[in-house]
């Protein structure tokens, strides 16, 4: 994440625990640990910004108590994420990503995340133009491009977002930025290579990861190997 040369950014797979068995989340965590992955994606939904409710900071803290090494990639799908930054920071999140669509003080929220010593991310829905992120690109560590409308796992990848990934990758090169470009939703063995070719370096996969019959092969594919 601190690499100045964005083209050299290591490719990362961040499995979404949303697709694991919620009655046994620690088992899902163990699957990620056993596959020697560095990141795990935690989807937080409020039933307001998105039409679904997942889990909150208490669950993040409980997962953190079982693992002190994984990078907790925390995706807040909340109408008022600014009200919960401290909670998620205390719970053990390493990266806190907030959406650009809701009405709240976005710049202050991103700065607060960094003040708390965490990485800051900004996300956008499939129908939000890349230009909406322009005011924030100098104060984030990661841009999260949604390739489905957030709220549920297991949806079909929206290929219309690929030009948006290309545009962000081009802006990053032009500006000498070092933020990661992460893609989330419907990433599988067919769509992962399309995301990487468009310029993404970080892929979220829930369903495809937890259901992959050959996880090492799926991981290598997502890591561009
Ligand atoms: C959707 C979530 C995604 C989701 C991805 O609202 O942000 O992270 O869990 O799941 P799959 O990989 O199944 O599309
Ligand atoms: Zn997500």
């Amino acid at each position: 994440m601190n690499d100045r040369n964005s083209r050299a950014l290591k490719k990362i797979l961040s499995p979404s625990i949303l697709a694991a068995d919620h009655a046994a989340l620690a088992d899902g965590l163990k699957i990620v640990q056993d596959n020697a992955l560095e990141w795990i994606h935690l989807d937080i939904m409020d039933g307001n910004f998105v039409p679904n409710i997942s889990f909150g900071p208490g669950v993040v803290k409980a997962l953190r108590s079982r693992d002190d090494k994984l990078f907790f990639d925390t995706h807040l799908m909340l109408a008022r994420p600014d009200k919960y930054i401290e909670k998620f920071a205390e719970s053990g999140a390493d990266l806190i990503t907030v959406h650009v669509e809701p009405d709240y003080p976005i710049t202050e929220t991103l700065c607060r995340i960094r003040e708390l010593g965490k990485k800051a991310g900004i996300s956008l829905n499939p129908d939000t133009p890349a230009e909406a992120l322009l005011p924030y690109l100098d104060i984030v560590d990661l841009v999260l491009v949604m390739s489905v409308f957030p709220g549920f796992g297991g949806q079909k990848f929206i290929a219309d977002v690929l030009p948006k990934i290309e545009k962000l990758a081009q802006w990053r090169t032009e500006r000498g930025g070092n933020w990661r470009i992460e893609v989330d939703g419907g990433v599988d063995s067919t769509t992962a290579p399309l995301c990487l070719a468009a310029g993404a370096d970080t892929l979220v996969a829930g369903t495809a990861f937890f259901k992959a019959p050959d996880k090492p092969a799926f991981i290598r594919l997502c890591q561009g190997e």
Side-chain angles (χ1 to χ4, degrees), residues 148-220:
V148 299
F149 284 90
F152 302 92
Q155 302 183 74
K156 189 174 180 300
F157 182 84
I158 299 172
D160 289 353
V161 304
L162 290 169
K164 191 155 63 179
I165 299 169
E166 285 169 4
K167 186 182 275 186
L168 284 162
Q170 191 189 333
W171 286 351
R172 183 171 64 182
T173 304
E174 288 167 3
R175 293 162 165 252
N178 63 349
W179 25 276
R180 286 189 164 271
I181 302 178
E182 181 175 50
V183 184
D184 184 8
V187 173
D188 59 20
S189 53
T190 303
T191 57
L194 304 178
C195 297
L196 295 178
D201 45 68
T202 311
L203 302 180
V204 176
T207 309
F209 173 78
F210 282 99
K211 290 207 171 143
D214 184 347
K215 285 190 177 46
F218 182 68
I219 292 165
R220 284 196 299 275

Side-chain angles (χ1 to χ4, degrees), residues 12-168:
I12 288 175
L13 168 63
S14 187
S16 170
I17 205 162
L18 193 68
D21 178 356
H22 282 218
L25 285 179
D27 294 350
L29 189 73
K30 186 158 191 314
I31 292 170
V32 177
Q33 293 166 328
D34 289 349
N35 281 281
L37 290 164
E38 293 171 42
W39 285 37
I40 189 163
H41 187 82
L42 306 174
D43 283 309
I44 314 297
M45 304 180 184
D46 68 351
N48 187 1
F49 175 61
V50 290
N52 195 9
I53 297 174
S54 57
F55 51 83
V59 170
V60 174
K61 191 173 182 182
L63 291 169
R64 181 49 92 197
S65 75
R66 302 285 184 102
D67 184 289
D68 57 7
K69 291 196 188 65
L70 275 171
F71 185 83
F72 277 16
D73 163 20
T74 312
H75 177 192
L76 302 189
M77 286 161 273
L78 310 178
R80 290 297 306 264
D82 51 315
K83 294 189 171 182
Y84 297 94
I85 298 308
E86 279 77 11
K87 274 275 170 217
F88 284 100
E90 282 162 21
S91 301
D94 293 297
L95 162 70
I96 300 178
T97 297
V98 295
H99 269 258
V100 75
E101 293 86 4
D103 186 14
Y104 66 98
I106 297 177
T107 298
E108 287 86 332
T109 303
L110 293 168
C111 292
R112 181 74 188 132
I113 294 169
R114 284 181 153 186
E115 273 166 25
L116 290 165
K118 308 297 179 181
K119 302 285 186 192
I122 187 83
S123 182
L124 77 180
N125 282 345
D127 58 356
T128 301
E131 285 71 16
L133 302 186
L134 283 171
Y136 313 110
L137 291 177
D138 292 336
I139 53 168
V140 294
D141 302 288
L142 175 144
V143 167
L144 172 56
V145 177
M146 289 307 300
S147 42
V148 299
F149 284 90
F152 302 92
Q155 302 183 74
K156 189 174 180 300
F157 182 84
I158 299 172
D160 289 353
V161 304
L162 290 169
K164 191 155 63 179
I165 299 169
E166 285 169 4
K167 186 182 275 186
L168 284 162

